[in-house]
Amino acid sequence: MGAGPRAVPLVAGETLAKHDYSLADTPNKRTALAYLYTAWNDGRVAYARQIYWVPGSFPEPAKGTAPADLPRNIGTPHYTMKQVVEERDRVVVLAFVKGVGIGQPITTIFGTPGGTKIGDAVVEIFQFAPDGRIARKWDFIQPVSEESYDFR
């Protein structure tokens, strides 16, 4: 008999100790948060993709280089998780992200001045494979200024 699907490795104890997982009460939620924390807050995108994604999802970057599909001006995003929701094979993470374009003026969707950027409101949607690894991801990003900041 062949081996069954590989299960995603448990989130390492050091990662659990380093970051806030209070919003993650299921394995898929923990994996989604571990990916975001490892990739962005720890700055280890290639490693996070290798560990938490379905094998073959991304081309292997050259040793010591950033993945080629990332924008050159990505900066150093830092996620603060606000809410995590799971239904069936999907996990949605609502987060506030600092570190990209802070201090730049932004405009509203109507083209009027929107203030000075303090971060981004981000919605990350993950779809999981049966083995517990990330199969697909979508994200939606909205710049936030002091005038528009409201996470009630």
Side-chain angles (χ1 to χ4, degrees):
M1 289 209 134
R6 280 190 342 180
V8 70
L10 294 176
V11 176
E14 64 198 38
T15 302
L16 286 172
K18 187 176 185 180
H19 300 291
D20 178 12
Y21 285 86
S22 61
L23 299 173
D25 57 357
T26 69
N28 284 352
K29 287 180 181 180
R30 272 190 300 282
T31 298
L33 293 187
Y35 169 73
L36 294 171
Y37 283 138
T38 303
W40 303 115
N41 292 21
D42 297 345
R44 300 172 67 195
V45 178
Y47 174 77
R49 287 177 171 182
Q50 180 183 8
I51 297 299
Y52 300 113
W53 280 77
V54 169
S57 294
F58 299 97
E60 187 71 28
K63 189 163 184 83
T65 64
D69 61 319
L70 294 180
R72 296 277 179 235
N73 63 348
I74 192 68
T76 55
H78 181 86
Y79 277 67
T80 301
M81 308 313 171
K82 298 295 182 178
Q83 187 175 12
V84 183
V85 180
E86 181 174 10
E87 186 161 329
R88 295 187 302 276
D89 67 343
R90 308 266 166 112
V91 170
V92 178
V93 177
L94 307 176
F96 180 71
V97 179
K98 281 187 170 181
V100 181
I102 302 302
Q104 296 175 354
I106 60 173
T107 57
T108 68
I109 59 170
F110 305 108
T112 58
T116 301
K117 184 175 178 179
I118 63 170
D120 293 293
V122 177
V123 177
E124 301 272 5
I125 303 170
F126 295 88
Q127 182 178 25
F128 284 83
D131 72 352
R133 293 181 192 265
I134 300 166
R136 297 180 72 188
K137 184 181 86 62
W138 304 265
D139 54 48
F140 303 90
I141 302 168
Q142 176 67 47
V144 177
S145 70
E146 289 179 350
E147 291 85 3
S148 64
Y149 182 83
D150 184 4
F151 279 112
R152 285 184 274 172

